[in-house]
Amino acid sequence: MIAKIAFWCVTLLFFFQVWVNQGSLPVIWPDEVLFFSPAYSLATRNIMATQVLDGLIPGMESKTLWMPPNFVLILGSLLKVFPDSLLVGRYFNIFCFFCSALIFIKILDFYDFNLKQKLCGFTLIVWEPLLFRFGGAGRMEGLTALFFLFSLYLAISKRENKLSIFFTGLFVSMSFLSHPIGGSLGLVSFLFLILNEPKKIKTTLLFGMGAILPIIFWIVYIHPDWNLFLIQFGSQLTRKRTLFESFTWIDKVKVFAYGFTFSKLKLSLFILQLGFMSYLSISDYKKLRKLSSSHVFYWIWISVVFFSLYTSSEGWYVVHSLFPLTFGFVYLYKKLPIGKYLMLGAISLTYFGLIYNHYIHWQKYDTVTIQNEQFSKLSNLLKNSKYIYIQSIPDPYFYLRKKLPNSRLYEFIPGELEIPTLAYQNTIQSMDAFIFYDENLMNQTIKSHLSSGKNWKRFHWEIPVGREHWMNFKTTVFIKDTVPKK
């Protein structure tokens, strides 16, 4: 009875946090617009097309192929039923994470953790501020995690069942078709199957059959426009490679720590966890001449996730580390006397992180008021602009599409992808307004365009917030002057 009450208290705090944040935290990211646009097009026109990139990336306005389709397909289906709002994608993403946490609890059942230990693990996930920071955005991280964890659950549950092995591969594929990082996460499910299944060839074939099936449907869809796929998806790969080559080890650690509240303390706890898990693994190996199933499971999972984060170098994906790290804390809680204190420290940091974030964003600064002030000022400035190019965080797209229904809104070239200038030069030249949150990140083609003409009015302002806030509200706007200067 007490455990049920505790579970519902933890759950209610989770949903309270979701309700309080709603459309203000995390700040609205351009990524959310880039995934909302094809989903909205799918809901209204039955075409997966990204109108905000029309003329910026070849073919995006007619067939969007630059990301796997699952999130857009599901979000598009939801937008057929619910209002066309940013909140639909956000609520869907965070609900997927909540369901992922429930599946995680079921996975813990296979390792004989007691109710208190499982409840602590559940709390660590659903109270984690990082979950709301990156899992609360209208992206596909929650769906990717949900499909992956379901595949992991099937891999552990009934390996002798042929259908179970087949569906393990199927859900790994569905995770990959939500986001490519799901493919690397799926290695955990596959390796667990192979290491624990005597009929390895048969298992591999069944897993492979399940994994290839959804991908075949995706290939059939993209095949008629293969050249567009190479341009759109290839530009993403090029960007990933550039990030990988330019980021140092220190940069990668900063990316990992960026989303955590009290990041230095959290990193210290993670390092302690790795140290104690290494000690237990070495001790087990010395006694048994092999690692226990729990240790193998943990090291496979944590290694795959860390390798994925090392190669990706983006803060969004750090949320996938919550699950193996939580497994480590729960395991130490069970195995070592000091594990109880590590768990207490982790939950305390998580809880006080929520309190601290509430203080920063709702008491010290009124984030909703600041964001509305920012967007309202933009709306007044741009009321006579018809073609508006946005490269801003927080992104005013959802606000402006309601306030300026007759204006055409374009989003920034994603991540400043290496696309030939000729592909988007005419579109850039047709703009009569540009919005930037950092002029230093301005595309060189846009910079040349703005500097070559004298008929641009420049506006710049900054809404001051402290360094502890998640976002600096700096804005630079260029508006074409209808009366050119002499």
Side-chain angles (χ1 to χ4, degrees), residues 52-317:
V52 294
L53 294 175
D54 184 5
L56 294 174
I57 297 179
M60 291 289 277
E61 73 284 354
S62 58
K63 197 169 185 178
T64 298
L65 302 170
W66 75 312
M67 284 295 288
N70 279 354
F71 179 75
V72 172
L73 288 173
I74 296 175
L75 181 57
S77 300
L78 292 172
L79 290 175
K80 286 180 179 289
V81 179
F82 298 102
D84 58 325
S85 165
L86 163 72
L87 293 179
V88 176
R90 289 193 159 197
Y91 286 156
F92 174 63
N93 190 22
I94 201 71
F95 181 71
C96 284
F97 270 118
F98 180 75
C99 293
S100 299
L102 295 178
I103 295 175
F104 178 77
I105 291 178
K106 300 302 292 182
I107 290 173
L108 294 182
D109 282 337
F110 295 113
Y111 292 95
D112 298 322
F113 293 110
N114 63 37
L115 197 57
K116 184 187 293 186
Q117 292 158 358
K118 290 187 293 183
L119 183 60
C120 286
F122 179 70
T123 303
L124 271 184
I125 292 172
V126 299
W127 282 5
E128 173 54 54
L130 176 121
L131 187 70
F132 298 97
R133 187 168 191 178
F134 292 127
R139 282 177 49 99
M140 62 285 293
E141 272 67 41
L143 187 63
T144 305
L146 182 63
F147 281 134
F148 159 65
L149 284 164
F150 200 71
S151 79
L152 192 56
Y153 173 81
L154 291 173
I156 299 172
S157 59
K158 296 179 180 178
R159 293 185 301 275
E160 70 281 359
N161 188 316
K162 294 179 181 178
L163 277 178
S164 181
I165 297 173
F166 173 84
F167 279 105
T168 298
L170 182 73
F171 281 105
V172 164
S173 184
M174 294 297 283
S175 181
F176 168 74
L177 289 178
S178 302
H179 192 283
I181 199 171
S184 57
L185 294 175
L187 284 173
V188 182
S189 303
F190 177 68
L191 291 173
F192 190 87
L193 278 176
I194 291 299
L195 291 175
N196 292 279
E197 178 59 51
K199 299 177 181 179
K200 300 187 186 311
I201 295 178
K202 182 180 178 181
T203 299
T204 302
L205 290 174
L206 284 169
F207 179 92
M209 288 171 60
I212 199 65
L213 189 60
I215 294 175
I216 289 174
F217 286 104
W218 177 231
I219 291 174
V220 169
Y221 177 73
I222 66 176
H223 178 68
D225 301 281
W226 186 254
N227 289 335
L228 283 181
F229 173 75
L230 292 178
I231 293 170
Q232 294 178 14
F233 194 77
S235 61
Q236 284 274 69
L237 294 179
T238 301
R239 175 176 177 267
K240 302 293 184 185
R241 185 185 66 188
T242 302
L243 284 175
F244 178 75
E245 292 173 350
S246 61
F247 277 36
T248 65
W249 271 98
I250 295 176
D251 293 328
K252 292 177 187 293
V253 172
K254 287 181 178 178
V255 168
F256 178 81
Y258 174 70
F260 290 103
T261 307
F262 310 131
S263 56
K264 292 180 181 179
L265 292 174
K266 276 287 179 70
L267 286 177
S268 299
L269 277 179
F270 297 155
I271 292 170
L272 283 174
Q273 178 191 127
L274 292 171
F276 282 118
M277 288 298 293
S278 298
Y279 166 76
L280 290 176
S281 297
I282 293 170
S283 298
D284 273 11
Y285 187 80
K286 286 181 178 179
K287 292 177 183 177
L288 306 173
R289 307 309 299 171
K290 66 176 184 179
L291 291 179
S292 67
S293 176
S294 301
H295 286 216
V296 172
F297 178 64
Y298 170 80
W299 287 115
I300 288 176
W301 197 351
I302 202 76
S303 299
V304 167
V305 168
F306 281 165
F307 177 77
S308 299
L309 296 180
Y310 171 76
T311 56
S312 66
S313 303
E314 289 198 43
W316 297 108
Y317 315 140

Side-chain angles (χ1 to χ4, degrees), residues 40 49 359 471:
Y40 179 71
Y359 166 72
M471 183 50 56

